[in-house]
Amino acid sequence: LSAYHFGEEHIHPWISSKNIAIHLQCFFYGLSVFALLFLANAPELVPLFGSNGFKIDIISWNYILTLPFIVIQFILAFGNTLQGKLKWTAFFILQLSLALLYWVFLEMDLLLGFLFYFILW
């Protein structure tokens, strides 16, 4: 639900009507934001998961999950743009926003990244 909400906040100003493809794009865009935050701060997640008894390679796991979210949201955004539901400028701004967010997340630790995104972005 949070992923959909944050994706919708990014996409809402750019659309005039919603359909299932726009709803899916909102969801996967929001998942991409969260995934990029976790990917940029994967080493900080290891102690959190380790303290709960999870024995997984969090960094490899994060790459495996992050890529599909980004690819799916890109395909949905591209398709919505081709169908005229999203303007090309919006498509490029949304994709550049993800790249910029990832760069910001790389420069901040996990908590500051959350604070930056939830409060300032």
Side-chain angles (χ1 to χ4, degrees):
L1 292 175
S2 291
Y4 177 83
H5 169 72
F6 291 115
E8 185 182 39
E9 289 295 317
H10 285 262
I11 295 168
H12 176 73
W14 303 102
I15 58 171
S16 56
S17 65
K18 292 182 183 178
N19 62 13
I20 189 68
I22 292 291
H23 288 295
L24 286 171
Q25 183 184 350
C26 290
F27 178 70
F28 281 100
Y29 192 91
L31 278 179
S32 296
V33 170
F34 283 121
L36 290 172
L37 175 63
F38 297 145
L39 178 65
N41 295 288
E44 290 181 60
L45 295 174
V46 172
L48 296 174
F49 280 98
S51 66
N52 292 323
F54 289 103
K55 302 293 182 202
I56 58 174
D57 181 6
I58 192 71
I59 295 172
S60 297
W61 175 80
N62 220 342
Y63 280 107
I64 291 168
L65 287 180
T66 301
L67 221 40
F69 296 152
I70 294 169
V71 169
I72 291 169
Q73 76 77 29
F74 182 87
I75 291 169
L76 288 166
F78 190 73
N80 285 328
T81 303
L82 288 177
Q83 292 180 354
K85 297 172 189 159
L86 195 65
K87 293 183 180 179
W88 283 103
T89 53
F91 171 78
F92 288 116
I93 289 171
L94 288 167
Q95 301 311 307
L96 288 173
S97 293
L98 282 178
L100 179 62
L101 276 172
Y102 183 61
W103 177 76
V104 169
F105 293 155
L106 283 172
E107 298 300 316
M108 298 179 173
D109 64 17
L110 187 61
L111 180 60
L112 283 177
F114 268 118
L115 291 174
F116 172 81
Y117 182 73
F118 293 129
I119 295 171
L120 298 177
W121 191 270

